[in-house]
Amino acid sequence: MTLHLLMAAIMATSAMTLFSYIISESFKELYKEPLLLKFILDRLNFTFSESLKSICSWIIHYGIGLIFVIVYHILWKYKIVPFTILSGVY
């Protein structure tokens, strides 16, 4: 089950990231989450190299995606939220 959750997190986060990059290019706005996370690391005055900040921002990005998948899994497994199309809307 753990491998399934990890695979789901990677696929879902990658799909969301692709969508964000497409929307970012379409509207000429900055919706690229890893780049925004890198800006946050810059603002927090981390003193490591730019390439390491970039790597960390991608790790944080996929880590947040994993957290979302785990939370949704718990919500559906324990029937806290019904597993329906409508539950995906709200």
Side-chain angles (χ1 to χ4, degrees):
M1 183 60 81
T2 305
L3 183 59
H4 287 113
L5 291 177
L6 184 60
M7 288 174 40
I10 290 170
M11 290 187 298
T13 305
S14 296
M16 182 203 66
T17 303
L18 177 62
F19 179 77
S20 295
Y21 272 66
I22 290 169
I23 294 299
S24 187
E25 289 300 318
S26 297
F27 291 101
K28 303 294 184 221
E29 293 287 335
L30 183 58
Y31 299 117
K32 300 173 181 178
E33 293 87 0
L35 187 55
L36 293 169
L37 288 167
K38 187 174 175 285
F39 288 149
I40 291 171
L41 292 177
D42 286 337
R43 289 278 182 133
L44 293 174
N45 294 321
F46 282 98
T47 57
F48 38 87
S49 70
E50 290 300 312
S51 61
L52 187 56
K53 284 181 192 175
S54 183
I55 292 168
C56 287
S57 67
W58 279 99
I59 291 170
I60 293 167
H61 179 57
Y62 275 90
I64 292 169
L66 179 62
I67 290 168
F68 270 91
V69 167
I70 290 169
V71 168
Y72 275 109
H73 175 71
I74 291 168
L75 290 173
W76 289 329
K77 181 177 181 179
Y78 296 104
K79 298 183 182 1
I80 298 169
V81 175
F83 186 61
T84 65
I85 292 176
L86 283 178
S87 70
V89 175
Y90 59 84

